[in-house]
């Protein structure tokens, strides 16, 4: 009976602990305190000006929401730079009349993630995401919603590849 009381007490006082990370990041906050995120200019052949701000806001919001890193200007423990390199429309499905019935909007972002604490984590990679919409719709009518959805997916991909440390 005494043993049943001592074992849980000993486990509670020992250095063993169970730790869960619910935010998706695996950052050692003893080593990483801040991150520098530059603007991501649009370098695509087609340019939709609100895209840059939408992407930038979503990326910074994700870092703020999912980590305790401070976003700073200048030298930081980690840096994220890049550019929006692709904004492209392509026909997908063809109907009986040989016209496209679906159109795909694809956005590509090139990201360079520099880990100044552990350079083995550096990444220099492009990420792409897309959404399809009916070719009967005008791009101007669906563009804002599509860009918001695509940016959300891109930010998740980038976060997981860099700060998520999967």
């Amino acid at each position: 009976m005494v043993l049943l009381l001592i074992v849980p007490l000993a486990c509670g006082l020992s250095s063993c602990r169970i730790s869960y990370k619910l935010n998706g990041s695996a950052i050692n906050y003893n080593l990483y305190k801040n991150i520098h995120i530059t603007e991501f200019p649009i370098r695509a052949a087609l340019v939709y000006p609100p895209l840059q701000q939408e992407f930038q806001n979503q990326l910074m919001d994700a870092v703020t929401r999912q980590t305790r890193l401070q976003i700073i200007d200048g030298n930081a423990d980690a840096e994220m730079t890049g550019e929006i390199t692709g904004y492209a429309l392509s026909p997908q499905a063809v109907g009986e009349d040989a016209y496209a019935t679906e159109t795909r909007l694809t956005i590509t972002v090139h990201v360079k993630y520099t880990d100044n604490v552990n350079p083995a984590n550096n990444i220099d990679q492009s990420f792409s995401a897309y959404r399809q919409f009916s070719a009967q719709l005008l791009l101007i009518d669906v563009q804002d919603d599509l860009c918001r959805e695509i940016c959300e997916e891109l930010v998740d991909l980038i976060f997981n590849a860099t700060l998520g440390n999967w």
Side-chain angles (χ1 to χ4, degrees), residues 35-162:
I35 186 169
H36 174 66
I37 300 174
T38 65
E39 288 187 8
F40 280 68
I42 300 174
R43 303 272 191 251
L46 287 176
V47 175
Y48 179 57
L51 176 61
Q52 179 181 0
Q53 195 63 46
E54 178 69 33
F55 176 78
Q56 194 79 25
N57 288 344
Q58 285 198 30
L59 180 60
M60 294 177 95
D61 286 348
V63 171
T64 302
R65 265 190 340 270
Q66 298 180 46
T67 74
R68 293 183 301 198
L69 295 175
Q70 295 293 318
I71 298 174
I72 64 168
D73 288 330
N75 294 336
D77 299 323
E79 300 172 23
M80 201 175 300
T81 61
E83 57 192 10
I84 299 168
T85 57
Y87 186 87
L89 292 168
S90 58
Q92 292 303 303
V94 178
E96 295 173 4
D97 56 2
Y99 287 105
T101 58
E102 293 275 315
T103 302
R104 177 180 288 179
L105 173 62
T106 304
I107 299 175
T108 304
V109 178
H110 183 93
V111 176
K112 183 176 181 186
Y113 173 76
T114 306
D115 187 328
N116 293 319
V117 175
N118 183 3
N121 293 333
N122 290 355
I123 291 176
D124 191 351
Q125 181 179 341
S126 289
F127 299 87
S128 290
Y130 65 88
R131 291 291 181 276
Q132 289 186 193
F133 62 98
S134 171
Q136 294 178 351
L137 298 172
L138 295 175
L139 177 62
I140 196 162
D141 293 334
V142 295
Q143 194 164 218
D144 287 337
D145 290 335
L146 293 174
C147 286
R148 190 172 15 266
E149 292 172 14
I150 294 169
C151 285
E152 185 177 313
E153 183 176 341
L154 285 168
V155 165
D156 284 345
L157 291 170
I158 292 165
F159 184 89
N160 290 340
T162 57

Side-chain angles (χ1 to χ4, degrees), residues 15-23 25-27 29 68:
S15 62
C16 297
R17 67 182 166 153
I18 297 173
S19 175
Y20 295 99
K21 290 178 175 51
L22 299 176
N23 64 2
S25 68
I27 298 170
Y29 292 107
R68 293 183 301 198

